[in-house]
Structures are given as structure tokens and as C-alpha cells.
């Protein structure tokens, strides 16, 4: 197989890493908040903004221009582009909210080095702040579950044989279809549960399930995305016009 790589852009490598980091960062922030360890909010705001910005610009470009359609994978522009755009905007929204809260607390004279005061104050306010965002997250969760079903039904995500490592399983398309569809599904289930976890006196099992699912997905996306830097470079080398 020969591909003219000059006509397209493939950056689901950094998309995967940013998605994994974003999921794990949400869980880390929640854990620190529960343990009263959240103090200076600017660092957290920037931490959310970095993967959020990357996912927003790459997801927007992929959603609006369909670059992968030029090499025969138009469905991947929907599968990777639109969820990345949605997640990126959500992360950016959280970043802005935390940055504004930090400025407000400072003007109120709060000691931002006192993580107990900051954490307890934010713990009371945060569910009401992000509850409106959680509805869109839940809707996109349903979309991710739909993508998972499509991945299984149409046996998507299989790597071409020219791709190192993943290409070794090209004759078993259901293997990678099941793996990737499973990741999309568990992120989607967690997103659907997210609004319920923010309710007052919510069942703590909602948060536990979300943490379990997003930990698995976050680690998997970071590792898979990092590996893809090697596999995608190899795919390009192996499919370049001679």
C-alpha cells in the first residue's frame, strides 16, 4: 500500500495522549480535592488548559476538514475528531472556571497556600459550577457508546499490515475493534454517570465507578498514544511513495 501523506494530516497520536492525560487529571484533581490538598488553583487551571487546547484545535480541524478521508478513512474523522473537540472544550471550560475562582478567592483575601480552606470552599461550590457542563458530557458519553457499537458492528480501528506492532493483528480486525470500542464505551459510561455523581447526597458508587472506568481508559490512552508515535512513524515510512 502506498499513501500520499502530503494530502492529509494524522495527529491522533497527540489526541490520544491528551485524552488520557485529561481523564487522569480530572481524577487526580477530584482525589486531591477530597483529601483537602488543592491549594493554588492556577496550576490546575493551566494543567486542564494544555490538553484542552490541544484537543480543541486538533479536534476542530479534523471535524471541519476531514483530513483522514483523503487516505480512505473518512469515518475516523468523526470517531476521533468530534469527541476530541467536545472533550477539549469541556477541559478548557473547567480551566476557565478554576482560573476565575482563583482570582475571586484572592480578591476575597483567602490564603491560597491553605489547601484545607481552598479545598473545602471549592468542594462546596464545584458541583454547582460544573453541573451545567456535565449534561453535555453525558450527551457525548452516549455518542461514545454509539461509536463503540459502530466499531464492533463494522470492525473499525484495524491497523493496516504496514503499521508496526498493531499491523501484526491486521488479520484479526475484531481484536483492535474490541479494544478501541471498549475504551470508547467505558469513557462514555463514566460520562453518562457524571451528572448523577454531582447531585447532592449522590450515591458514592457513582464516583467510584467513574474513577475505575476513567483510570483504565486514561492509562490505556496515554500508553496507546505514546506507542502510536512509533507505529505511525513506521506506517508513514512503510507507505511513502518510493
Amino acid at each position: 500500500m502506498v499513501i500520499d501523506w502530503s494530502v492529509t494530516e494524522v495527529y491522533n497520536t497527540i489526541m490520544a495522549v491528551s485524552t488520557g492525560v485529561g481523564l487522569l487529571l480530572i481524577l487526580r484533581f477530584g482525589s486531591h480535592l477530597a483529601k483537602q490538598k488543592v491549594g493554588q488553583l492556577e496550576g490546575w487551571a493551566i494543567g486542564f488548559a494544555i490538553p484542552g487546547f490541544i484537543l480543541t484545535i486538533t479536534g476542530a480541524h479534523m471535524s471541519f476538514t476531514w483530513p483522514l478521508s483523503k487516505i480512505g478513512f473518512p469515518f475516523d474523522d468523526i470517531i476521533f475528531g468530534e469527541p476530541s473537540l467536545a472533550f477539549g472544550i469541556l477541559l478548557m471550560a473547567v480551566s476557565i472556571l478554576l482560573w476565575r475562582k482563583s482570582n475571586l478567592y484572592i480578591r476575597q483575601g483567602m490564603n491560597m497556600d491553605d489547601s484545607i480552606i481552598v479545598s473545602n470552599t471549592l468542594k462546596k461550590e464545584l458541583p454547582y459550577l460544573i453541573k451545567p457542563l456535565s449534561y453535555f458530557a453525558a450527551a457525548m458519553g452516549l455518542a461514545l457508546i454509539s461509536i463503540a457499537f459502530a466499531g464492533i458492528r463494522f470492525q473499525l480501528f484495524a491497523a493496516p499490515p504496514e503499521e508496526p506492532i498493531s499491523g501484526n493483528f491486521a488479520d484479526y480486525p475484531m481484536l483492535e475493534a474490541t479494544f478501541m470500542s471498549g475504551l470508547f464505551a467505558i469513557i462514555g459510561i463514566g460520562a453518562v454517570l457524571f451528572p448523577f455523581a454531582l447531585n447532592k447526597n449522590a450515591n458514592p458508587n457513582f464516583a467510584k465507578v467513574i474513577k475505575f472506568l476513567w483510570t483504565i481508559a486514561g492509562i490505556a490512552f496515554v500508553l496507546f498514544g505514546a506507542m502510536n508515535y512509533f507505529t505511525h512513524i513506521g506506517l508513514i515510512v512503510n507507505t511513502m511513495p518510493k
Side-chain angles (χ1 to χ4, degrees), residues 202-226:
N203 188 326
N205 288 327
F206 286 135
K208 291 178 181 178
V209 171
I210 293 171
K211 181 178 180 181
F212 176 74
L213 296 177
W214 285 2
T215 297
I216 295 173
I219 293 173
F221 263 112
V222 169
L223 296 178
F224 190 68

Side-chain angles (χ1 to χ4, degrees), residues 75-135:
F75 44 83
D76 280 344
D77 291 309
I78 297 175
I79 291 172
F80 296 114
E82 294 185 21
S84 294
L85 173 60
F87 190 34
I89 291 176
L90 286 170
L91 290 174
M92 291 295 293
V94 172
S95 173
I96 293 170
L97 286 173
L98 291 178
W99 190 272
R100 287 177 59 84
K101 274 297 171 185
S102 177
N103 290 337
L104 177 62
Y105 291 164
I106 291 172
R107 289 198 300 270
Q108 292 175 343
M110 186 180 296
N111 180 7
M112 300 304 291
D113 290 324
D114 191 334
S115 62
I116 295 178
I117 293 178
V118 175
S119 296
N120 287 337
T121 304
L122 194 60
K123 196 184 303 183
K124 296 176 183 177
E125 300 176 351
L126 198 59
Y128 301 100
L129 283 173
I130 63 176
K131 189 62 179 287
L133 306 181
S134 70
Y135 299 131

